[in-house]
Amino acid sequence: MRDRPAEHCTTKERPGWLTLHARGGSLDEPDVVFTGRRQQHLSCRARTLVDAAEGGGGLAVRLDERHHYEIEVSGTRVRVVARVGSLRTVVAARSVPAGPVVLAVTTRPPTPHGPCTGPDVVSLGIEEPDGTFTELATLDGRYLSTEVAGGFTGRVIGVYAATGTVHFDWFDYEPLDR
């Protein structure tokens, strides 16, 4: 995040894939291995194909070390984790077949929208082998907003390694509010 040393972030180890070697233990750590892009649209979808057979990591929506949502795979287990201030909890978990898995995050305005709702809702899930999306959790986006959490840089969506070595074949981001 704050630097990109070759020993932690490479495209040479597995040609065509981004390989991340973890340091730190989670997105709560300031030296976590994370690479991402700014969320530029209220409604968007980000996806990645991840192979976490040698570690654990995944896809995250991140404001800072104390405010992030992530969907993480390790071996044959996927889990959604929410960190809001001093609270950190596993929101959902499920088993997946061994091998690479597509993780996805979608943001959309809440329905209905009102004074007690966030700017958006964040859905985290996986794509099944047949291409259908299975949502594991939907979380209020206000806790990842600068209005609630502070800061000024906004959200970043990207991939990270929490433990061991994690390989990412591709990452895509697309606006949904065209």
Side-chain angles (χ1 to χ4, degrees):
M1 192 148 26
R2 290 166 175 83
D3 61 356
R4 190 176 33 208
E7 66 268 16
H8 294 291
C9 181
T10 181
T11 56
K12 295 178 181 168
E13 192 168 311
R14 184 186 281 188
W17 293 62
L18 173 65
T19 298
L20 301 180
H21 297 279
R23 66 177 182 191
S26 72
L27 286 171
D28 301 349
E29 305 294 329
D31 64 346
V32 68
V33 177
F34 172 92
T35 186
R37 62 155 297 159
R38 179 94 38 233
Q39 180 183 337
Q40 295 176 282
H41 305 86
L42 181 61
S43 296
C44 66
R45 176 179 24 247
R47 300 165 50 239
T48 188
L49 177 64
V50 57
D51 180 352
E54 304 169 49
L59 183 62
V61 181
R62 182 187 182 281
L63 189 64
D64 60 25
E65 287 84 9
R66 294 175 44 88
H67 301 89
H68 49 83
Y69 300 152
E70 67 242 32
I71 182 160
E72 181 175 290
V73 62
S74 180
T76 59
R77 195 80 177 145
V78 171
R79 65 187 192 148
V80 174
V81 177
R83 168 73 191 258
V84 178
S86 61
L87 303 174
R88 178 180 170 84
T89 189
V90 175
V91 178
R94 72 164 267 194
S95 296
V96 292
V101 62
V102 176
L103 305 178
V105 171
T106 302
T107 65
R108 293 192 180 276
T111 306
H113 189 19
C116 295
T117 62
D120 60 1
V121 292
V122 180
S123 299
L124 301 101
I126 63 169
E127 283 188 17
E128 302 293 346
D130 67 2
T132 58
F133 178 71
T134 299
E135 182 179 288
L136 298 180
T138 297
L139 304 168
D140 191 331
R142 83 176 91 188
Y143 303 110
L144 302 185
S145 70
T146 55
E147 292 82 6
V148 171
F152 63 93
T153 58
R155 291 182 190 162
V156 178
I157 300 176
V159 298
Y160 70 97
T163 61
T165 300
V166 185
H167 306 281
F168 299 89
D169 185 22
W170 51 263
F171 169 88
D172 66 39
Y173 171 99
E174 64 179 318
L176 300 176
D177 53 359
R178 295 180 183 163

